[in-house]
Amino acid sequence: MKFETLAIHKGNKITDRNQPVVQPITLSTTFIHGNEEGILYTRAGNPNRSSLEELIAVLERGEDAAAFSSGNAAGTAVYQALEPGAHIIAPDDMYHGLHNSMTMLFKGIHEVSFVDMSNLDAIKAAIQPNTKLIWIETPSNPLLKVTDIRKVSEIAKETGALLVCDNTFATPVLQNPLLLGADIVMHSSTKYFGGHSDILGGALVTKTKDHFWEKIRTVQRVGGAVPSPTDCYWLTRSIRSLAYRMKGHVEHAMILAEYLLDHPKVEKVHYPGLKNHPGHEIAAGQMSGFGGVVSFQVKGGAEAADLLIEKVHLFANATSLGGVESLIERRASVEGPDTLTPPNLIRVSVGLEHTDDLLEDLEQAFSQI
Ligand SMILES: *Cc1c(COP(=O)(O)O)cnc(C)c1O
């Protein structure tokens, strides 16, 4: 079956004898011993969580998925599952929250090299005898840099390292890293999976239920960073419309990127769908659409960028992405002093409002800076 159909029909376990069409929320934290599915206690397993995990696994073309209470908890579970003393190669423009997880929580436990993942020679040069994990994120945040998943997976295989891909920006609608050679996919479900800026969540999906995956499951169960049954319910419900929402986000992002490209007050536009983007060809070879996030640099530096953000009405000046409402932020202002992000860079999560309204709003804001 196709993605749209699977999204609607998978992960919907009906056991109630009244046969509701939609699986209800099972709030009970504990279950009578000897039940059919062997469910004991909600931290270890819950019907809503197993439905969500089944759904995400199927959509991402994996054998199994594990849901977490946030994207950061999902990513951190991977670093927790590694044996101490592992060397990790990660992107130099890695999502800052997971960069912080590695540098703040695993300092003295694992060793990390941050490299430019669009440079295959730089990845090869960073390999050490104890390299156990290569972490990629494509398209990346906030510069929308593209990593060649197939090529990096070859390097990971030669090295004997796991390849984990943060697929948050692409979603399984647009890109399936497991089919391109990745071993595990990570998601912040807070973004497009939830899609309405009202649920925090994360997930890992594995190609095979191997020994490392058992460790991930142990981290999930014992560490306990699991989502509530209610959050699992809302996520399952939101994912039903993911394919159609992504079609809208991709279409709108392209319209916005082209508008910005022609704008005299814009210095540079970063969107992999644009032919002049350095990762365009690779993105076209591994994605079926270029995503819903567009970044651009405004002429006039950070000041002009801040002013533009102040003048828009329809775009909320807030962090995060993937919701139906458009968001805008000057990225360097939230990433802290060590960021590599240019100070005049604005990131837009392009929402599902009509693009005529979005462009009109941007136009009136540009006219005031
Ligand atoms: C938001 C995000 C995360 C972290 O997810 P949370 O749900 O906020 O913990 C990780 N990676 C990317 C690419 C993200 O955008």
Side-chain angles (χ1 to χ4, degrees):
M1 277 187 282
K2 305 280 193 214
F3 190 101
E4 290 79 352
T5 317
L6 293 168
I8 291 166
H9 292 285
K10 283 288 170 180
N12 194 34
K13 286 194 204 83
I14 308 298
T15 51
D16 191 313
R17 65 194 151 112
N18 293 325
Q19 295 191 283
V21 170
V22 178
Q23 179 182 345
I25 306 176
T26 305
L27 289 173
S28 186
T29 51
T30 190
F31 298 82
I32 305 288
H33 286 301
N35 65 71
E36 227 169 85
E37 282 185 52
I39 301 180
L40 276 175
Y41 183 62
T42 280
R43 173 159 43 74
N46 170 280
N48 294 102
R49 195 165 89 222
S50 61
S51 287
L52 174 66
E53 290 175 341
E54 180 191 328
L55 178 63
I56 294 176
V58 163
L59 297 181
E60 202 46 284
R61 311 286 164 188
E63 214 171 85
D64 199 13
F68 291 85
S69 53
S70 71
N72 252 46
T76 300
V78 175
Y79 321 143
Q80 285 175 299
L82 289 172
E83 293 296 326
H87 173 246
I88 302 167
I89 303 177
D92 56 4
D93 59 345
M94 184 179 201
Y95 171 74
H96 71 113
L98 285 170
H99 179 283
N100 288 347
S101 169
M102 279 190 183
T103 55
M104 292 160 75
L105 305 181
F106 294 90
K107 195 175 171 201
I109 299 173
H110 302 315
E111 208 186 325
V112 199
S113 305
F114 293 104
V115 308
D116 175 359
M117 287 291 173
S118 58
N119 180 347
L120 298 173
D121 291 331
I123 303 174
K124 285 182 193 156
I127 292 167
Q128 296 182 13
N130 59 336
T131 302
K132 300 290 182 210
L133 169 67
I134 300 180
W135 184 279
I136 56 174
E137 179 188 329
T138 182
S140 75
N141 177 40
L143 285 169
L144 288 316
K145 274 165 68 176
V146 176
T147 301
D148 191 327
I149 303 174
R150 289 185 190 90
K151 291 259 168 66
V152 179
S153 87
E154 284 164 22
I155 299 173
K157 281 199 182 73
E158 281 164 27
T159 312
L162 276 174
L163 179 65
V164 180
C165 181
D166 183 339
N167 204 30
T168 300
F169 271 49
T171 79
V173 179
L174 307 179
Q175 176 173 278
N176 289 120
L178 298 180
L179 302 181
L180 301 167
D183 300 292
I184 291 177
V185 161
M186 188 229 115
H187 281 284
S188 167
S189 313
T190 314
K191 314 297 165 57
Y192 291 105
F193 280 9
H196 298 72
S197 310
D198 54 6
I199 315 164
L200 193 75
L204 295 173
V205 190
T206 189
K207 185 156 61 187
T208 47
K209 288 204 236 179
D210 54 11
H211 178 61
F212 189 75
W213 186 251
E214 277 172 35
K215 287 170 125 183
I216 294 279
R217 280 292 191 190
T218 304
V219 171
Q220 182 198 32
R221 188 179 66 248
V222 179
V226 292
S228 71
T230 312
D231 283 348
C232 293
Y233 171 85
W234 286 116
L235 271 174
T236 309
R237 177 207 142 117
S238 292
I239 291 172
R240 305 264 182 250
S241 61
L242 181 63
Y244 295 95
R245 285 188 282 110
M246 288 316 292
K247 277 178 199 157
H249 287 296
V250 168
E251 189 190 305
H252 293 187
M254 194 68 206
I255 292 171
L256 212 83
E258 280 174 342
Y259 161 80
L260 292 166
L261 195 62
D262 289 338
H263 204 287
K265 287 181 181 164
V266 173
E267 189 179 288
K268 197 167 181 189
V269 185
H270 305 266
Y271 184 63
L274 295 174
K275 297 232 158 38
N276 71 356
H277 186 279
H280 176 72
E281 291 299 321
I282 297 167
Q286 64 189 19
M287 303 179 81
S288 62
F290 301 99
V293 176
V294 177
S295 293
F296 62 102
Q297 290 169 252
V298 184
K299 286 182 187 162
E303 231 167 88
D306 282 335
L307 193 58
L308 183 77
I309 291 170
E310 195 187 301
K311 298 296 181 192
V312 288
H313 307 301
L314 214 44
F315 297 77
N317 179 17
T319 200
S320 199
L321 59 117
V324 293
E325 61 290 294
S326 293
L327 302 180
I328 195 164
E329 80 178 339
R330 191 167 70 78
R331 206 47 208 165
S333 71
V334 295
E335 288 183 345
D338 312 330
T339 179
L340 297 173
T341 303
N344 63 340
L345 183 126
I346 291 177
R347 185 184 79 180
V348 179
S349 172
V350 187
L352 299 182
E353 301 94 342
H354 199 287
T355 47
D356 287 355
D357 297 324
L358 293 175
L359 296 188
E360 193 184 306
D361 189 31
L362 276 175
E363 192 55 38
Q364 67 77 26
F366 269 122
S367 74
Q368 295 183 70
I369 71 166

